[in-house]
Structure formats: structure tokens, C-alpha cells
Amino acid sequence: MKTVFSKYAAVLILVWVIIACSTEKTGFMNKGFHATNTKYNILYNGTASYDRGVQELKKKYVDDFSNVITVEPTQRDEKALIVTGAVEKSPHFQRAEEKAVKASQKHSMYVAGKEHNPQIDEAYMLLGKARYQDLRFVPAIEAFNYIILKYPDSDLFYDALIWKEKTNLKLEYDGMAIQNIKKILRDNDTKLKDQTKADAYATLAQGYINLSHLDSARMPLKQAIDFTSNTDEKARYTYILGQLNSKTGQKSEAVKNFQDVIDYNRRISRALVINAHAEKFANQDINAIDTTAFVKQYLSLLNDRENRAYSDIIFHQLGVMHEAYKLDDKAIKDYNMSLKVNKNNEYIKVANYNKLANIYYQKKQFETAGMYYDSTMVYMNPMSREYVQVKRKRNNLVDIVRYEQLAKRNDSILNLASMDDTQRKAEIQKLIDQLKQDDLRSQQASSQQTTSNGMAPSVGSSSNFYFYNTNTVLQGKTDFSKKWGNRQLTDNWRWAEVAASSNNASVVSNNQQQAPDSSANDTASIDDPNVARYNVDFYIKQIPTDEEELKRLKLDRDNAYYQLGLLYSDRLEEYEVAAGKLEHLLATNPEQGLIEPAKYHLYKIYLKINPAKAQAMLEDLKTNHPNSRYTQVALNPNAVISGEGSPTDEYNKVYRLYANGAYYETLQELDAKIPTIIGDGIVSKFELLKAMTIGKLRGLTHYKEALEFVALTYPTSKEGKEAERIITKDLPKLQGLSFKRDLSKNIKMVYAIPYPLNEEGIALKTKLEQYANDRRHTGMVFSADMYNDNTIFFVLHGVKSGNIAKSAQMYLELDKEYGIKQSPVLISTDDYGVVLIKKNWDEYVNTQQ
């Protein structure tokens, strides 16, 4: 028995040992399986996808070198993308996130408070970084927090801390991120790897830059340069350090930084190298630069094939150099070449357009400057301070350009009209001869361009797109001219008469916009007398002879010169130019109403530029206009003018018109009175009232433009601030209004009538007023509401239902006392409000039919 028992016991012990060993071996095998599969399969593929996503991001990213660049390239317009939800999801980052989630969910071995798969912290790190690059910052912080809380002994612990603070910067928690990173560096300096330190210092510097503490950002950036071993990062940080030194006045240090970047040469991005050249020049003393060597160096850069993608930057910098030396013509040529070769560097486009605008502005070629300011704004962030500054300049030029063109055109026509036939024909023939020479040069230049294969690129020369094919465009212009003759580029061009041209009695020139297009005749003979463009009679027929029309042209011209005098003085502070406009006005025998204000404003301008002339003008006012309000103010600028005719009294009169709903008349009064107002303190009140009136007559788009003018022109006044409030708070609500189309109650009967009223319109108004007055006991009321400049609504309010409205319409039509054949449009009170605000009457009527 003992032997049998011993055998059984031994077998049991052996089985127990085998089971125990197999269990321990299985656990060991599971750990190895999960860790190996996670590392070499799932995480490997996820990391590869993440790396591809980062590389793709770097290729797409274009640094805005006009500002301090960020320490790491990220997606463009991050904030706008997040707010609008227009983030373009990268498939690489999404795949990386999927792999990280799969690793953490299927291969985690978290047992009894301990993770037995050493790769899971890598999975969460990959998860957080993928979310960070996809601009999903809050979920990214969750992933980094998981590592910080669950894996304090991980070799990724400090990396997770730094990435969490990088993410806090993206969430604009700059102050908190700075404090946290300083604590990490202070408490764990000996535990951090060099690259981790570099990332920490770079993140700290970015935090200071975000807060505009540029001095504070310089030291951590230097530390980041010392600790990083990545050449691209070292060069990028050095470039940023150069920008910071430049902005804080350390010009010599900045030059050294940018030279260090240049010395990296082909080991780093060419964009950094080329922009480092530009920044180095910008920080040097202009008087100490060898211009010959500079031009030679930049031409060498242009001839280097590797730099072709950055030739826009090189041309721009050449323009900056030439502009610095007052060589404006060369600078203009360089900036235009930069625009011509530019591909996708929007900050360079902005810089080029703005430089060109400023050059033409300084040359007092305000029309050209305005066009370049327009182009500048296209590529700017509308929320930026720079955009507002450029827009203010542009708005200042809008009226100037309009009045300059008007004065030039009318001067030209009046000058020609005052000549006898012989003089008129001789003048036009002289200008036609000049026109032929210009066209001949244009033909020759066009011919050379089509055969040239030189360095300057030809935009779209091989494209089939219509406007890129020169021959097709010329043929199209020729066909158009044969069929339609001369037409301006305006609305309803088919019905427009050919307008007279301008520029020193030049019906012919004015950039050839009024006569048939010059390029339309490139294929025609310059000596062909049948070409209207070269025919004297073609232009003579367009010169007006009617005395009333000529009188109107003179009044418009005189008012244009008066307006220009005020605009140049008040908006641009170009006092010499302003004085010239008003002097010219007074020399042309203007209408009586312009003489006193013109002399007064000329007196104010002379006070700034020529006191002797100011005294002479004051004597003129005292002698020739002793009782004038303008003379009173000139003699006593601090006097408070009261009574009839004061600005406040005038404002109250116009406001009463506005309050009574006479918007058309209000706008006419404002247009007439604003130019004659004395005292800047009240001008903004008139301008805001004008903006409100425009909103009543012309809808939200024109309303916004008028409000923006007030907000930008008078930003510190109460009216300017009110305009800004309306733009930001009220307009978005008004733009969101829509039709409810509910005719069950509160119905209005609307008759749309042309304005100003003719006899039929006046008769209709009288009948509807009588009808409403006879039914006042039912709550019916009549009103006449201006819809726009050309239409007025006659409205019967208080109609209880659709059936009552139909009965009223039938009665008004059949009753002999009324006999109103026109059918009204039925509309609810809510929808009527929408129509008056958004000016979409046609839309409402069309959908009701």
C-alpha cells in the first residue's frame, strides 16, 4: 500500500509542478507576445504614419516671415480652422491615432495597479501627438495626462510633461504653460535628456513670444539652440533668435544670428537661408552696405537653380534695397517681378502690394495707390491690426480717387467745349497721333513677348485658358469692338453711352478706357481712317454742346475740387495739395455757395503752411464776407455759433427729416451739408446719420460699408464707437433674418410705387390715405415707407386676415370712388421688417407668385 500511495503522491506532485510551471511560462509568453506585437507591428505602423503626416505638414507649411516664426511648423490659420470647424483631417494622423488606440485597448496588461506591457506608454504618447497635430488639443492633453498619472517611472514621463505644456500653449494658456515648464526645468534638471531640455526651452520661448515678452524669450531660445542636436531645429531657433534681437534693437546680434543661418547653407531649408539674407540686409546700417556687392550677391542667388522657388523673396529684397536708396522706379520693377514669379507666399504678396501702394501714395498717385491697397487687403487677415490700418488708408482714398477722376474728366470736356472747331480738331488730332505711337509700341512689345523665351516668366503662355492666350484675347477684343463699338466696363454696358474721356482735354487718352480698346486694334492698321479710335469726328461727336449740360458739368467739377481740398487736408494732411485744389477752385469762378467755405478752409490750411497767406485770406473774408458764419469762426475759433444756420441746428433739421421717414430727402440733404460743416466734433454725427439713412435705403451691404467708414474715420468719437458696436453686435443678427411666410395674422397690403412720385402715384397715395382714415375704427393705418432710392411702399396696416385683405382689394378696385387697379402684395409684419432691412422685395414677390 505504501508503494502504491507513494506512486500516486509522486504523480500528483509532478502534475502540480507541471501545472505551476506551465502557468508561469504562459504568463511570461503573454507579456512577451503583447509587448513584441505592440512594438514591432502596431506602434511601428502608427509611428510611421505619424512621421509621414509630420513630413507632409512641413511641405505644406509656409512660414510667415513677416512676423516672428513659430518654434515648430504647424497647420496654417490654426485658430480660424478650429473656430470654423474646417480642419482638414490628415489620414496619416488618423491612422496613427487608430494604431495607438488599438495598442492600448487590445494589448494593455494593466493588472493590480501595474502595467505589464512596457509599450503602452509609447502608445499613449503616439495618441497624444497625433491628436495634437490634428488640432484636437483637449483630447491630446487627456492622452498626455494618462502617461503622467499612470506611468511616473516611464522614460517618456518628462516628454509627456513637455508635450502637455506645448498643448496648453495651443489652447492659449500661455502663462500657465510658462510657469509649469519653469518648474519642470527647476525640479528635474539632472533627470532630463538634452533633447527633452531643448524642447522644454523652445516651448518656454514660444510662450514668451505669444505674450510679446520678446526679451524674456531670448535666453530660453539660446538654451534650446545649445541642447538640441537636430540641425533643422538649431537653424530655426537661430533664425527666431535673430528676429527677436532685431525687434528688441540688438541689430548687430541679429546680423550675426542670420549669418549663422546662412552658413548652414544646403543643410537646412532654402526658405530659411533666403529669408536670412533678407533679414541680414534689413538689420544692417544702410549707409554701410556695399550696394555693388549686395546686388552682385542677390543676382547670384537668382541665378542659382535651387533658389527659383524663392525668387519672389529675392526680387522683393532687391526692391527694398532700391527703395531705401530712393530708386523708386527700380524698386517698383523689382516688386512687380516678385509678384510675377510668386507662387504661394502670401506674406510676400502682401509686402509687395503694400510697398507698391506706399510708393505711389508718396508720389501722390492716389488712384494707383488705392488699387494696390485693395490687392494688399485680399491677402491679409481681416482680423489683424495691419488689415485695419491698410483699410483705413484705402478708405481715405476712395473719395479722393472718385473726385479726382470726376474733376479730370469734366475739366477735359469743358476745356474742349470752350475751344473753336479748329482748335478742338487740332487738339484731338495731336492726341490721336500720340495714341498711335502708344499703340505701335504696344504692338511691338506684344510681338516681342510672344517670341521671347528670356528669363522673365510668361504667365500661362502655354495655357488654353482664354485670358492666358494673347492671340485669342486680341481677337476677342477686336470682335467685340466691331459688334458693340465703345463700351465702358460698367453695369448695363450694352445701353451705356460712350462717356467723354479726361486728362488735359483728352477725350482720346485716359488710359484708353473711353474709346475702343487699344489692344483691340493691334491687328488693325494704325493708318486706317475707318478705325473709330483714330477718327477725329468720333470724339468731336461726344463733346456736349447743351448749355444746361455744360453748366451741370461745371457744378460737378467745382464741387469735386472743393471736396478734394477738404479730403487732402483732413484725411491725408497733404496741405500743399489741398491748398492747390481750393486755389484752383476759386480761380474758376465757382458758384456762390462754394466761395465762402472754400476761402475759410483755405485760411485754415494756410495757418499750417503759410501764415502770411492766412492773414491775407482772413482780410479777404472780413472785407468781402463780413456777415458770413465762416468769417465769424475765422475771427473767433472758440466762439459757439448758435441760432439759425449753426451746425447743430442744421443737424436737427436733417434728423427731423430722417425721423419722419423721408430717407431719400435726408440723404440728399446730408450729401449737400457734410462738405460745408465747420468743426470736426459734429461731422461724425452727420456721417453716422448718413450711414443710418443709407441702411434704410440700400440694405445691409451698403449699411455695413457706411458704418465701417464712420468707425475707421472717427474711431475715438462716440459715433465711431457706436458704428463699431452696430457692426459687431447688431449686423450679424440682422443678416440672419429670414422670411416666415405666415399670413395667418398681422397682414399688410403693400403697393410698390416708383419714386419720386408722379401724378398717378400722388393720386394713389391720396386714395389709400382716405380709405385708411375711413376705417380707423378697425385699426387700419396708412403709411408711406421708402424702400430704396427709386421705390416707395404705400402700406395699409392692421389687416386682420387674408380674406379681409382680398375683400379690401376687391372693394378698392370696383368702387368708383377709388378704382385702384394695381394689386397689392400681402405680407406679414415680420416679413415686411425683413424686406425693409435686407432689401429683398423681389425675392419675396417672386416666391409668392
Side-chain angles (χ1 to χ4, degrees):
M1 287 292 292
K2 275 186 177 182
T3 304
V4 175
F5 177 78
S6 297
K7 288 180 178 179
Y8 278 113
V11 170
L12 289 172
I13 292 170
L14 180 60
V15 170
W16 179 82
V17 171
I18 292 171
I19 292 172
C21 290
S22 65
T23 302
E24 183 178 347
K25 186 175 181 181
T26 301
F28 174 77
M29 290 177 65
N30 281 341
K31 290 179 186 178
F33 167 77
H34 284 291
T36 303
N37 193 30
T38 302
K39 180 176 181 179
Y40 293 106
N41 183 6
I42 302 174
L43 283 185
Y44 173 82
N45 291 323
T47 303
S49 291
Y50 175 82
D51 291 340
R52 282 194 294 272
V54 170
Q55 291 304 315
E56 186 180 89
L57 201 61
K58 288 181 178 178
K59 289 180 181 178
K60 289 182 179 179
Y61 183 76
V62 178
D63 282 303
D64 180 4
F65 287 99
S66 63
N67 296 308
V68 178
I69 62 174
T70 54
V71 297
E72 63 173 0
T74 50
Q75 293 196 41
R76 299 179 64 183
D77 301 322
E78 278 185 356
K79 190 181 296 185
L81 290 173
I82 295 169
V83 170
T84 60
V87 179
E88 182 180 348
K89 299 293 184 181
S90 167
H92 301 299
F93 294 136
Q94 288 184 315
R95 178 174 170 78
E97 181 174 354
E98 290 169 2
K99 292 295 182 182
V101 170
K102 181 178 180 181
S104 62
Q105 289 182 347
K106 293 193 174 183
H107 295 279
S108 174
M109 298 181 68
Y110 196 81
V111 180
K114 184 178 180 181
E115 178 60 67
H116 294 275
N117 185 344
Q119 300 299 318
I120 297 303
D121 58 344
E122 296 274 3
Y124 278 100
M125 193 68 185
L126 177 62
L127 179 62
K129 289 162 71 174
R131 289 172 172 175
Y132 173 91
Q133 299 292 1
D134 234 5
L135 309 186
R136 295 166 53 230
F137 299 126
V138 174
I141 284 184
E142 292 176 357
F144 298 135
N145 277 339
Y146 194 86
I147 299 174
I148 295 167
L149 295 173
K150 297 291 186 180
Y151 306 107
D153 298 325
S154 169
D155 58 350
L156 296 176
F157 176 77
Y158 295 107
D159 292 300
L161 286 174
I162 302 305
W163 273 88
K164 177 182 176 182
E165 300 314 322
K166 288 171 67 173
T167 312
N168 277 329
L169 289 183
K170 296 292 186 181
L171 293 171
E172 299 184 356
Y173 299 139
D174 301 306
M176 182 176 71
I178 289 171
Q179 293 303 318
N180 291 343
I181 293 174
K182 289 167 71 174
K183 186 176 186 302
I184 293 168
L185 290 168
R186 183 177 61 247
D187 297 345
N188 306 282
D189 185 63
T190 59
K191 301 176 185 177
L192 299 177
K193 295 178 288 187
D194 282 354
Q195 188 57 47
T196 304
K197 284 184 181 180
D199 293 343
Y201 281 117
T203 305
L204 181 59
Q206 185 64 61
Y208 282 126
I209 291 170
N210 291 351
L211 294 175
S212 299
H213 299 166
L214 304 186
D215 264 331
S216 301
R218 292 164 58 211
M219 187 53 67
L221 205 54
K222 291 179 181 178
Q223 297 283 73
I225 293 169
D226 292 338
F227 282 112
T228 185
S229 57
N230 185 297
T231 302
D232 287 333
E233 287 183 358
K234 195 179 288 286
R236 188 177 185 86
Y237 298 162
T238 304
Y239 186 93
I240 298 173
L241 182 59
Q243 289 183 303
L244 297 180
N245 281 325
S246 174
K247 288 184 177 292
T248 54
Q250 310 295 321
K251 300 294 185 180
S252 58
E253 287 294 317
V255 170
K256 182 181 180 300
N257 296 139
F258 293 124
Q259 184 59 53
D260 290 342
V261 176
I262 293 170
D263 291 340
Y264 281 105
N265 203 2
R266 290 175 173 81
R267 288 179 289 165
I268 61 172
S269 161
R270 296 303 295 168
L272 273 181
V273 175
I274 299 300
N275 279 281
H277 277 286
E279 288 287 353
K280 179 185 174 184
F281 165 78
N283 285 278
Q284 289 177 305
D285 181 0
I286 191 69
N287 297 317
I289 295 176
D290 184 343
T291 55
T292 303
F294 176 87
V295 172
K296 184 177 179 181
Q297 179 188 17
Y298 269 71
L299 290 177
S300 175
L301 290 173
L302 276 175
N303 291 328
D304 190 335
R305 293 175 62 87
E306 288 185 307
N307 299 332
R308 284 187 178 178
Y310 309 101
S311 55
D312 54 344
I313 301 172
I314 300 171
F315 276 118
H316 175 78
Q317 200 56 39
L318 282 169
V320 172
M321 189 274 292
H322 284 132
E323 187 180 358
Y325 284 100
K326 309 298 182 184
L327 302 173
D328 288 346
D329 290 341
K330 289 187 176 181
I332 290 171
K333 181 179 178 182
D334 291 330
Y335 292 139
N336 280 319
M337 279 302 299
S338 178
L339 288 168
K340 196 171 186 179
V341 300
N342 188 287
K343 294 181 179 178
N344 60 351
N345 289 354
E346 290 190 359
Y347 79 94
I348 284 291
K349 287 182 182 178
V350 169
N352 284 324
Y353 283 126
N354 201 30
K355 288 281 189 182
L356 287 165
N358 290 335
I359 289 175
Y360 285 112
Y361 189 96
Q362 293 300 322
K363 287 175 172 285
K364 296 181 173 52
Q365 297 180 23
F366 296 109
E367 184 175 357
T368 306
M371 290 189 289
Y372 278 113
Y373 282 131
D374 280 339
S375 299
T376 303
M377 291 190 293
V378 169
Y379 298 100
M380 296 182 79
N381 178 3
M383 304 302 293
S384 68
R385 182 187 306 168
E386 292 78 10
Y387 178 89
V388 174
Q389 292 171 345
V390 172
K391 187 169 185 178
R392 182 179 291 120
K393 279 187 177 180
R394 179 65 185 99
N395 286 346
N396 285 342
L397 295 179
V398 170
D399 290 334
I400 287 177
V401 170
R402 177 161 60 91
Y403 286 121
E404 283 283 11
Q405 291 176 339
L406 175 61
K408 190 183 296 183
R409 183 179 65 248
N410 287 14
D411 262 339
S412 171
I413 297 171
L414 292 169
N415 189 24
L416 284 171
S418 66
M419 296 178 181
D420 59 35
D421 289 342
T422 304
Q423 291 175 319
R424 192 179 297 128
K425 288 182 179 180
E427 182 70 17
I428 293 176
Q429 185 59 55
K430 182 172 64 175
L431 294 165
I432 287 176
D433 292 340
Q434 181 62 47
L435 188 57
K436 289 181 178 180
Q437 294 178 19
D438 293 341
D439 287 351
L440 182 60
R441 282 194 293 268
S442 177
Q443 289 180 18
Q444 292 171 347
S446 177
S447 176
Q448 291 173 1
Q449 184 177 3
T450 56
T451 58
S452 172
N453 57 356
M455 176 181 172
S458 177
V459 180
S461 57
S462 61
S463 172
N464 291 324
F465 180 48
Y466 178 92
F467 292 101
Y468 285 169
N469 188 313
T470 306
N471 293 331
T472 306
V473 172
L474 293 179
Q475 185 60 46
K477 288 181 177 180
T478 302
D479 293 343
F480 180 92
S481 181
K482 288 179 180 178
K483 183 174 182 179
W484 300 106
N486 175 44
R487 288 292 186 270
Q488 284 184 290
L489 182 57
T490 60
D491 293 338
N492 301 317
W493 58 266
R494 290 180 64 178
W495 318 114
E497 292 294 331
V498 179
S501 184
S502 58
N503 193 15
N504 191 27
S506 169
V507 176
V508 182
S509 54
N510 191 29
N511 296 325
Q512 285 71 55
Q513 290 179 2
Q514 312 300 342
D517 196 290
S518 60
S519 56
N521 294 281
D522 283 352
T523 57
S525 171
I526 287 178
D527 296 322
D528 186 352
N530 295 320
V531 176
R533 180 178 180 75
Y534 308 134
N535 191 311
V536 173
D537 291 337
F538 170 79
Y539 298 103
I540 288 180
K541 289 177 182 177
Q542 299 176 55
I543 300 173
T545 56
D546 181 71
E547 287 299 324
E548 286 300 317
E549 185 175 358
L550 291 172
K551 183 179 179 181
R552 180 185 58 79
L553 289 171
K554 184 181 184 304
L555 289 174
D556 290 344
R557 189 273 313 273
D558 291 347
N559 181 62
Y561 275 114
Y562 177 74
Q563 296 289 352
L564 286 169
L566 271 58
L567 291 169
Y568 280 119
S569 173
D570 297 342
R571 293 192 187 176
L572 304 187
E573 297 182 356
E574 293 282 351
Y575 301 118
E576 295 285 354
V577 180
K581 299 297 181 183
L582 292 176
E583 288 168 351
H584 182 80
L585 168 64
L586 292 172
T588 58
N589 189 28
E591 64 170 341
Q592 192 64 31
L594 285 177
I595 294 176
E596 291 179 13
K599 287 183 177 180
Y600 169 78
H601 287 290
L602 196 53
Y603 163 72
K604 287 177 61 179
I605 294 169
Y606 283 155
L607 285 174
K608 296 181 174 67
I609 61 175
N610 193 325
K613 284 190 174 182
Q615 185 60 38
M617 185 56 68
L618 181 60
E619 293 300 322
D620 183 295
L621 285 168
K622 290 163 60 178
T623 302
N624 298 313
H625 316 283
N627 299 320
S628 167
R629 182 163 58 93
Y630 297 94
T631 305
Q632 294 177 36
V633 176
L635 290 170
N636 187 7
N638 297 319
V640 177
I641 302 177
S642 59
E644 189 72 18
S646 71
T648 302
D649 184 67
E650 294 293 335
Y651 177 82
N652 291 334
K653 285 182 181 178
V654 178
Y655 185 79
R656 282 194 289 272
L657 280 175
Y658 173 84
N660 291 329
Y663 304 126
Y664 180 84
E665 290 77 9
T666 301
L667 193 58
Q668 286 186 320
E669 285 292 312
L670 288 168
D671 284 338
K673 292 185 183 300
I674 287 176
T676 65
I677 297 169
I678 300 175
D680 295 338
I682 200 169
V683 175
S684 56
K685 292 176 69 68
F686 278 86
E687 291 287 5
L688 181 59
L689 181 59
K690 182 177 179 179
M692 305 291 285
T693 308
I694 287 172
K696 295 288 188 182
L697 282 176
R698 297 172 186 170
L700 294 181
T701 301
H702 292 90
Y703 185 33
K704 183 179 179 182
E705 291 175 356
L707 287 170
E708 286 177 341
F709 171 80
V710 177
L712 292 171
T713 308
Y714 312 100
T716 60
S717 69
K718 182 174 67 174
E719 290 75 23
K721 293 174 181 176
E722 174 64 10
E724 185 65 33
R725 186 198 67 78
I726 295 172
I727 292 170
T728 56
K729 293 187 177 181
D730 293 350
L731 275 182
K733 297 176 184 177
L734 297 176
Q735 289 167 341
L737 294 175
S738 59
F739 293 129
K740 296 181 179 179
R741 304 188 186 283
D742 180 10
L743 292 176
S744 61
K745 58 181 180 179
N746 296 329
I747 298 172
K748 300 180 186 298
M749 298 170 63
V750 180
Y751 296 83
I753 306 300
Y755 192 85
L757 295 176
N758 54 24
E759 292 183 2
E760 292 180 1
I762 295 172
L764 177 61
K765 180 182 179 183
T766 303
K767 292 176 181 179
L768 291 174
E769 283 179 325
Q770 179 184 339
Y771 180 82
N773 286 333
D774 291 344
R775 289 157 183 78
R776 279 179 296 178
H777 61 281
T778 66
M780 183 170 287
V781 178
F782 169 82
S783 73
D785 304 333
M786 287 300 303
Y787 174 67
N788 59 27
D789 292 324
N790 306 309
T791 305
I792 188 170
F793 288 156
F794 293 159
V795 188
L796 293 175
H797 305 264
V799 181
K800 305 300 184 184
S801 68
N803 289 332
I804 294 176
K806 290 178 181 177
S807 298
Q809 176 185 346
M810 187 177 298
Y811 180 81
L812 287 168
E813 180 180 350
L814 298 177
D815 188 85
K816 293 181 179 179
E817 186 179 0
Y818 298 105
I820 299 174
K821 304 299 182 182
Q822 181 176 342
S823 299
V825 175
L826 305 186
I827 189 170
S828 68
T829 299
D830 291 337
D831 287 350
Y832 185 64
V834 174
V835 164
L836 291 180
I837 291 170
K838 303 188 78 170
K839 304 303 175 188
N840 52 357
W841 174 249
D842 290 339
E843 177 188 343
Y844 180 84
V845 172
N846 291 337
T847 55
Q848 290 296 103
Q849 293 175 351

